[in-house]
Amino acid sequence: MMLADCGYDSQANRNALRSRGIDPLIARRGQPHGSGPGTLRWVVERTLSWLHQYRRLRTRWDRRTDLHQGFLNLACALICHRRLHSFRKEV
């Protein structure tokens, strides 16, 4: 399945995806925001914004992929720790 916003809303795009065996979930033009794939895409955009708060991940300065992957793993662990810690305070 592929999620896309209304900028990709055309029958040609839908047919091209289906010919490759991909189910398109493309928002329709003229529909209000928050309908269709927008409700699912928000989760992805929120997660990327959490990762972009770390300067080293926002702009990739490291040439070595293993270093970049290590910092990405560390950032994900810190984000999960912070979310679990705040969730524990709420309960």
Side-chain angles (χ1 to χ4, degrees), residues 4-14 26-31:
D5 60 10
C6 60
Y8 299 96
D9 183 26
S10 72
Q11 196 58 42
N13 286 338
R14 293 176 197 281
I26 302 174
R28 299 280 182 186
R29 291 183 189 202
Q31 298 296 320

Side-chain angles (χ1 to χ4, degrees), residues 18-74:
R18 285 190 185 106
S19 70
R20 291 175 174 83
I22 302 170
D23 292 330
L25 183 56
I26 302 174
R28 299 280 182 186
R29 291 183 189 202
Q31 298 296 320
H33 290 290
S35 63
T39 56
L40 298 173
R41 287 188 47 199
W42 182 81
V43 175
V44 175
E45 291 171 4
R46 178 195 61 195
T47 306
L48 289 175
S49 71
W50 286 344
L51 288 172
H52 282 165
Q53 70 182 339
Y54 299 100
R55 185 180 69 90
R56 196 161 188 155
L57 295 176
R58 194 175 337 145
T59 304
R60 184 173 171 187
W61 302 102
D62 300 310
R63 291 185 184 196
R64 292 178 38 193
T65 58
D66 59 337
L67 288 176
H68 183 73
Q69 184 65 44
F71 282 111
L72 183 63
N73 292 346
L74 180 61

